[in-house]
Amino acid sequence: MRVFVAWIAFAAAAGAAEVVVDDGGLPRTFSVDQTESDLYRGERGPVLYEKGEPRATASRRIATRRIAMVPRVDADAQTIASSHGLTIVGTPAYAPRWKILEATTAQATLEILPALRLDDRIASAHLLLARQASKRFVPNDPLFTNQWHLLNKL
């Protein structure tokens, strides 16, 4: 599964939640599929589909238990995490100020995130979403499997 950074906001409409995701500066709205989310409860997080797009594996996103957070310069990340009931699970090598926080469940992450965004000690907090990887095009070359440098196993 591929994970990408997103920010989230809920809009209650007839009991359904919507998630607004900032994907590379372009806001995209996802709706929570409560049926699929209930079906897989405990195994993975809430299932999201982009609004207006067909519900397919390629457009499915899954909320994870992780949040990417950058504290303000004068704030302590460990104190922030513990005050919200989260644990720090890592720091990306490419972004040393960012911390990856983890909640007990993906649903808890969705509930905690609005409070994190209101915390004055945090410069930015983003939900990490996962998506299912899919097979890509494989050439019809009969010698394709002999190309050792591609490391492809068919």
Side-chain angles (χ1 to χ4, degrees):
M1 290 191 163
R2 180 176 175 218
V3 177
F4 62 97
V5 177
W7 61 270
I8 184 169
F10 285 99
E18 288 187 348
V19 179
V20 179
V21 176
D22 181 7
D23 186 17
L26 301 172
R28 295 166 50 195
T29 303
F30 288 84
S31 60
V32 177
D33 186 317
Q34 201 58 50
T35 306
E36 279 193 62
S37 297
D38 289 342
L39 183 64
Y40 296 108
R41 187 175 298 273
E43 294 178 33
R44 60 182 184 191
V47 177
L48 313 170
Y49 287 98
E50 189 165 4
K51 204 169 181 180
E53 295 293 322
R55 294 183 176 226
T57 304
S59 62
R60 180 184 303 139
R61 302 293 183 264
I62 302 163
T64 68
R65 299 183 317 159
R66 294 187 172 190
I67 295 171
M69 184 262 310
V70 60
R72 297 213 183 271
V73 176
D74 58 341
D76 178 47
Q78 185 61 49
T79 306
I80 295 170
S82 61
S83 69
H84 290 282
L86 302 167
T87 56
I88 296 177
V89 294
T91 301
Y94 56 86
R97 286 193 55 221
W98 285 81
K99 302 296 178 198
I100 305 300
L101 309 177
E102 190 170 75
T104 54
T105 66
Q107 190 63 40
T109 303
L110 295 177
E111 293 165 3
I112 293 169
L113 195 58
L116 284 175
R117 296 188 147 270
L118 295 174
D119 193 324
D120 292 335
R121 301 171 294 173
I122 298 173
S124 182
H126 305 282
L127 173 68
L128 296 180
L129 295 177
R131 70 173 159 194
Q132 189 170 348
S134 59
K135 288 188 176 185
R136 303 290 183 196
F137 172 76
V138 177
N140 61 358
D141 179 358
L143 300 176
F144 179 72
T145 57
N146 295 339
Q147 297 180 23
W148 59 270
H149 62 281
L150 293 179
L151 300 177
N152 286 319
K153 305 281 184 199
L154 296 179

